[in-house]
Amino acid sequence: FAVQDQKQVTAALPFVHFPSGIHIQDGQRYLNTSAVACMKPSSRVPEHFGDGFPWLAGFLGNLFADDAQLPYFLSWWKHFYENALTGKPRTGHAIFIAGAPGVGKTFLSTCLVSRTVGGHADASDYLMGKEDYTSHIITKPIMSVDDTSPAGDHKRHAHYSAMIKKITANRHQSFSEKFKTSGQVEWLGRVVVTCNLDPESVRLLPNVEMSILDKIMLFRCGAQKTEFTDDDEIAATISEELPNLCAYLVNMEIPKQCVGDSRFGVASYHDKILFSEAQQTSASYSFWELLVDFLGSYKTYDDAQSESKGCWRGTATKLIADMTLDERIGGLAARYTTNAAATLLGQLKARGFAINKVRSATKREWVIPFSILEEETHAETEDRPAAP
């Protein structure tokens, strides 16, 4: 009777990095079954970066394409590790690390960061919408995606981007196990995606036109490869140096330029080259290419008129109708619905293109000046945090 009256819990579920025992969520009592533990930092107080971990410092120092990226990455790692270590996990950015094969992207994700916070699980199928059960993923602090097959079409890619946004923005995730009880758990781990730089692999970068930029960080690796000549020797070196690196993370002060808001703790970082690559894989970029071809032909017609308008103006329906009349691109333009065209025009406007929306009581028109043909293809939104 004492057990029933005093020890009743709603369910037994894993709450990664939270203290063991009873966990209160939404006013209900849960038994935390998670056994995940962070690596304990050494008692050493490193005086500088690399003190007590020279090999790891050399690896990290040579990994990224420029010196500006490492402080942001270490700040992200500190925010993740230190809060998890104290049993008070906090939300943080999903990170994307892109580079040539052999530079150490996977090693960083699965052998270094993963070991310090208690492990990782392959979440490729889950993020791509190919898997529903999450029990093997939510029990780990890192959802990893490593050079997997990217989403093959814009619809799947939009789903993938939306999943990353949802996981990063929400404290609660669905825990589901086959033939067992499902529930919502507080999961404040991280999504870590590593990929190559070839055109196919970079499709693992998310859709940067969603309201996702403040929730992700884009890092680009340099060209220098890491040679792992002796696995046993490397393993011994990591075991010796990693606790000292953990001590450095605990004691380091986040640089001023890397300090973020109270929600994520660290400012977002977006490598400009990767940001441009991510834009080019988006649906709006494909539509922009089609729109440029159409405007070029329409401008020639407009210039021939006695009173040139200097722009195209009309509804999204009229735009699709006019584009389908163009013999060169008509077949491609016919694939777009009116709603899709309106959405893509709005995304291009948000990216900084001089596309204006004019509303009246009966309709919504778009005004696209021909001067847009001279604008940079990769115009950035004004409020996008720029890479330093």
Side-chain angles (χ1 to χ4, degrees):
F1 284 122
V3 170
Q4 292 178 357
D5 291 342
Q6 302 171 27
K7 305 298 182 181
Q8 186 76 20
V9 294
T10 302
L13 295 171
F15 295 87
V16 175
H17 288 154
F18 285 95
S20 61
I22 298 299
H23 180 82
I24 307 299
Q25 176 179 284
D26 298 330
Q28 295 182 315
R29 290 159 52 89
Y30 292 86
L31 178 63
N32 184 6
T33 61
S34 175
V36 169
C38 293
M39 175 179 286
K40 297 295 184 183
S42 69
S43 58
R44 182 180 191 134
V45 181
E47 297 180 0
H48 55 82
F49 182 68
D51 183 14
F53 52 100
W55 188 90
L56 290 175
F59 166 75
L60 292 169
N62 293 322
L63 178 64
F64 299 105
D66 55 69
D67 294 338
Q69 299 187 58
L70 182 58
Y72 280 88
F73 178 78
L74 291 176
S75 299
W76 172 88
W77 196 353
K78 171 188 171 65
H79 180 71
F80 184 19
Y81 171 74
E82 186 176 28
N83 288 292
L85 181 67
T86 58
K88 300 176 181 179
R90 293 175 58 189
T91 53
H93 299 84
I95 66 169
F96 297 79
I97 307 172
V103 297
K105 309 181 299 294
T106 305
F107 173 74
L108 173 66
S109 171
T110 62
C111 295
L112 298 184
V113 178
S114 174
R115 286 185 62 178
T116 61
V117 296
H120 68 281
D122 182 5
S124 305
D125 289 344
Y126 176 59
L127 294 177
M128 298 292 178
K130 301 177 182 178
E131 184 178 47
D132 296 325
Y133 296 110
T134 62
S135 57
H136 64 293
I137 300 172
I138 300 299
T139 53
K140 301 295 183 181
I142 291 179
M143 293 188 190
S144 66
V145 178
D146 179 33
D147 288 331
T148 190
S149 298
D153 56 63
H154 288 306
K155 186 176 181 180
R156 283 189 176 275
H157 190 263
H159 173 83
Y160 164 73
S161 300
M163 286 294 292
I164 291 174
K165 176 185 174 182
K166 175 184 176 183
I167 291 169
T168 306
N170 297 330
R171 293 179 60 91
H172 298 87
Q173 306 298 332
S174 174
F175 178 87
S176 56
E177 191 171 6
K178 197 170 184 178
F179 304 129
K180 293 190 177 180
T181 303
S182 301
Q184 293 286 316
V185 299
E186 280 191 274
W187 187 87
L188 298 174
R190 302 291 187 272
V191 176
V192 179
V193 180
T194 55
C195 66
N196 293 332
L197 285 170
D198 60 272
E200 179 68 13
S201 297
V202 294
R203 287 188 59 81
L204 282 173
L205 299 178
N207 182 359
V208 294
E209 282 146 356
M210 304 173 68
S211 54
I212 197 176
L213 284 175
D214 62 330
K215 302 173 182 65
I216 64 172
M217 303 179 86
L218 305 176
F219 295 104
R220 181 170 55 91
C221 297
Q224 182 172 331
K225 294 188 176 182
T226 300
E227 298 294 337
F228 299 99
T229 54
D230 188 330
D231 291 343
D232 292 335
E233 182 180 347
I234 292 297
T237 300
I238 294 173
S239 296
E240 179 182 352
E241 292 189 5
L242 202 52
N244 294 330
L245 175 55
C246 290
Y248 174 82
L249 293 175
V250 170
N251 289 280
M252 75 170 278
E253 182 177 350
I254 294 179
K256 184 177 180 180
Q257 75 272 18
C258 301
V259 176
D261 56 26
S262 58
R263 184 182 186 188
F264 290 119
V266 181
S268 300
Y269 179 91
H270 309 121
D271 175 77
K272 291 183 178 180
I273 292 178
L274 287 186
F275 182 81
S276 176
E277 291 285 350
Q279 281 188 321
Q280 293 182 43
T281 63
S282 66
S284 67
Y285 185 86
S286 299
F287 185 74
W288 163 252
E289 291 180 333
L290 205 63
L291 185 61
V292 166
D293 278 350
F294 165 71
L295 288 177
S297 299
Y298 190 85
K299 181 178 184 299
T300 301
Y301 165 78
D302 185 73
D303 290 343
Q305 305 302 306
S306 57
E307 295 183 3
S308 175
K309 299 178 181 178
C311 68
W312 178 94
R313 175 167 180 162
T315 62
T317 301
K318 183 177 184 299
L319 177 61
I320 296 300
D322 287 353
M323 291 173 73
T324 54
L325 293 176
D326 191 317
E327 295 180 355
R328 298 173 303 106
I329 62 172
L332 295 173
R335 300 178 183 179
Y336 290 92
T337 65
T338 299
N339 287 337
T343 299
L344 294 168
L345 286 171
Q347 291 178 354
L348 291 172
K349 175 178 171 61
R351 281 173 52 184
F353 290 104
I355 297 175
N356 297 312
K357 183 165 56 177
V358 181
R359 292 181 179 273
S360 67
T362 58
K363 60 183 178 180
R364 176 182 60 184
E365 290 188 325
W366 298 88
V367 179
I368 310 175
F370 297 140
S371 60
I372 201 173
L373 296 172
E374 302 173 1
E375 295 187 18
E376 292 184 3
T377 303
H378 307 300
E380 300 177 359
T381 21
E382 295 180 358
D383 58 348
R384 185 180 74 83

